Amino acid sequence: MNARWDEGGGSRPTSSFDFDNDETMVMRALPQNIDPPHMSRAEARKQREARNKRAKRGKKVGVLALLVLVIAVLGVGAYGALWYMDRNKAAEDFAGPGGAPVVIQINSGETASEIGATLEAKNVVASSAAFYNAAIANPSEIQKVQPGFYQVPVQSSAASALDTLVAPDSRVGSVVIAEGRQLHDSSDAQTGSLKKGIYNLISEASCVGPVSAQKCVSTDELNTAGASSDLASLGVPDWAMSSVKSVPDKDRQLEGLIAASSWDFDPTATPTEILRSLVEGSAAKYEATGILTAGSGVGMSPYQLLVAASLVEREALPGDMAKVARVIVNRLAVDQPLQFDSTVNYSLDTTEVATTDADRERVTPWNTYAMPGLPATPIASPSIDALKAVESPAAGDWLYFVTINKEGQTLFTKSYEEHLANIELAQQSGILDSGR
């Protein structure tokens, strides 16, 4: 080549190519790992041996990791194959027909597999897998199964067990308590019809076993249990404990503490256990409304709120509840007797809207004609709406109200003279006519 480099300190190109003294291009080797010139041959040999050992260890670790991965893949594959074969083999199932019924509980949110496990544990089905398969084959049926208690024959086929669970007559321990219901039975003076009490309704819902040999918790057993002095065993909440202890008639001490609602209870439980489950569930419903603190605004304790709510329930239609609650608050504030016919009727076996002079003169712990203040207990199970009405009454100065016709029209006033005129309207409509 003719080109030469300037000797004045210019940089040479960085490359593995260079020029020799004869100006001919030659290839230089790239740098190699060589031993430092100051290192002895023995030291250099040791370093080379160490590098070789590290390289061998790295190879062994890599091989070992590969073996572990292979084993894991093979294990998963084997497990998957076993699972597939197990799921697809015929599940053990009873041929049926079933035997004597047993009670099982289905909880909210349970899957078909969980229900099947419960049935298998109770010897209703031979295997939970059989019930699961029956549920998969009948998706519309399994969706009908609701939380609650059921009596199902033991040793049923899985398909038969599913059919039983959706049959209306297999449900047990299910009771609906309507608003305004009382613990004990009463009859209507106008029609003579029986109004079943809460204890009677619970008794009917507790019946289990074949029709020819049904076992039920009796009304008397429930009444005896409900009159127990062991209030804690009955689930009475702390906020009601002292008031319930002082109830003069122990047969009525749980009045109002079983809320109006739909309930499920274990029909194989004892009377005390059944009542406890209902009272505790009711306390939770009441407390959710704010009953523990709402009374500060109207000068009532939580239990007094419940008592007042029961009066509202028996005296008012839904649209007038907040107004009737205000009348109660206003009368209590001026120590004026409430004079509610519903409180007179409470201790009577035969009841009607109109009460007699003799009825109103009877002194009882509930008759608000014969005494000031609230009754000794609630007079019925109030609705949540009635309770909320007492917790937050309507604004008003009313002291009187009367329903003037069978359509439920109710007039409110502060004036006693106006109230008397309103009573005449009620008498003219026939709503106050007596059946006695």
Side-chain angles (χ1 to χ4, degrees):
M1 288 186 180
N2 296 322
R4 297 185 64 87
W5 296 107
D6 184 5
E7 296 178 356
S11 298
R12 295 174 64 91
T14 303
S15 171
S16 29
F17 296 100
D18 208 344
F19 297 93
D20 64 7
N21 292 332
D22 296 327
E23 298 178 346
T24 304
M25 185 174 73
V26 297
M27 180 178 289
R28 295 175 184 266
L30 292 173
Q32 300 291 322
N33 289 327
I34 59 175
D35 299 325
H38 62 277
M39 185 180 296
S40 68
R41 292 180 177 272
E43 291 174 337
R45 185 173 64 255
K46 287 181 180 180
Q47 285 201 1
R48 287 195 296 273
E49 290 175 351
R51 285 196 296 270
N52 291 337
K53 286 181 180 180
R54 286 196 295 271
K56 289 180 180 180
R57 280 200 300 269
K59 291 179 180 179
K60 289 181 180 179
V61 171
V63 171
L64 183 59
L66 180 60
L67 287 174
V68 171
L69 178 61
V70 170
I71 292 171
V73 170
L74 290 175
V76 171
Y79 175 81
L82 290 173
W83 177 87
Y84 180 81
M85 290 186 291
D86 183 66
R87 291 290 292 178
N88 285 275
K89 71 180 181 180
E92 186 179 358
D93 197 4
F94 290 128
V102 293
V103 174
I104 63 103
Q105 181 181 11
I106 295 177
N107 297 302
S108 179
E110 284 190 329
T111 64
S113 295
E114 291 169 331
I115 295 172
T118 298
L119 294 173
E120 182 181 350
K122 288 280 191 173
N123 196 34
V124 172
V125 298
S127 66
S128 60
F131 182 82
Y132 178 83
N133 291 340
I136 293 300
N138 298 276
S140 61
E141 290 295 283
I142 191 63
Q143 291 175 3
K144 296 177 184 177
V145 179
Q146 299 296 315
F149 293 86
Y150 297 81
Q151 57 177 1
V152 191
V154 297
Q155 298 189 353
S156 298
S157 68
S160 176
L162 179 57
D163 289 342
T164 301
L165 289 177
V166 298
D169 58 355
S170 68
R171 188 82 176 264
V172 291
S174 177
V175 62
V176 177
I177 298 174
E179 295 87 349
R181 189 75 63 168
Q182 298 174 342
L183 285 177
H184 303 97
D185 296 348
S186 62
S187 59
D188 189 283
Q190 296 282 352
T191 65
S193 61
L194 176 69
K195 187 174 184 179
K196 294 178 180 179
I198 293 173
Y199 286 157
N200 196 337
L201 296 175
I202 295 173
S203 175
E204 291 178 346
S206 72
C207 298
V208 294
V211 177
S212 59
Q214 276 194 335
K215 294 183 178 180
C216 311
V217 177
S218 71
T219 301
D220 287 341
E221 288 175 320
L222 290 165
N223 189 71
T224 299
S228 171
S229 59
D230 186 359
L231 301 183
S233 70
L234 292 170
V236 175
D238 291 341
W239 50 265
M241 192 71 73
S242 61
S243 297
V244 174
K245 284 181 179 178
S246 63
V247 171
D249 183 351
K250 295 304 178 184
D251 286 352
R252 301 177 185 272
Q253 67 181 3
L254 292 187
E255 193 73 83
L257 290 176
I258 299 177
S261 186
S262 297
W263 297 104
D264 289 302
F265 64 88
D266 184 354
T268 65
T270 67
T272 297
E273 291 169 342
I274 291 172
L275 293 177
R276 179 186 181 92
S277 69
L278 298 178
V279 171
E280 288 182 338
S282 299
K285 284 182 177 290
Y286 292 149
E287 290 166 14
T289 70
I291 192 174
L292 297 180
T293 57
S296 60
V298 291
M300 297 186 198
S301 69
Y303 188 75
Q304 288 173 330
L305 286 173
L306 190 63
V307 175
S310 73
L311 303 184
V312 170
E313 186 65 51
R314 295 303 297 268
E315 292 282 343
L317 292 175
D320 292 323
M321 284 182 170
K323 287 185 175 182
V324 172
R326 174 52 64 185
V327 170
I328 293 173
V329 172
N330 290 346
R331 284 203 173 196
L332 291 176
V334 297
D335 202 26
Q336 181 175 343
L338 296 178
Q339 297 182 326
F340 286 179
D341 290 280
S342 57
T343 65
V344 177
N345 275 319
Y346 175 70
S347 58
L348 301 176
D349 294 330
T350 302
T351 64
E352 61 180 341
V353 174
T355 57
T356 66
D357 292 339
D359 292 336
R360 291 190 292 272
E361 290 172 358
R362 291 177 65 242
V363 178
T364 74
W366 295 273
N367 183 359
T368 57
Y369 278 91
M371 66 176 190
L374 292 167
T377 68
I379 61 171
S381 293
S383 63
I384 296 301
D385 286 342
L387 183 55
K388 289 181 177 179
V390 178
E391 293 170 350
S392 301
D397 58 1
W398 314 293
L399 290 172
Y400 308 95
F401 69 92
V402 63
T403 301
I404 63 170
N405 54 42
K406 294 180 180 179
E407 287 71 38
Q409 182 182 0
T410 303
L411 301 180
F412 294 80
T413 182
K414 181 181 180 181
S415 166
Y416 182 64
E417 288 73 19
E418 288 182 10
H419 180 57
L420 292 177
N422 293 337
I423 290 176
E424 288 184 10
L425 295 175
Q427 291 172 336
Q428 292 169 14
S429 73
I431 193 174
L432 298 181
D433 292 346
S434 175
R436 289 182 286 182

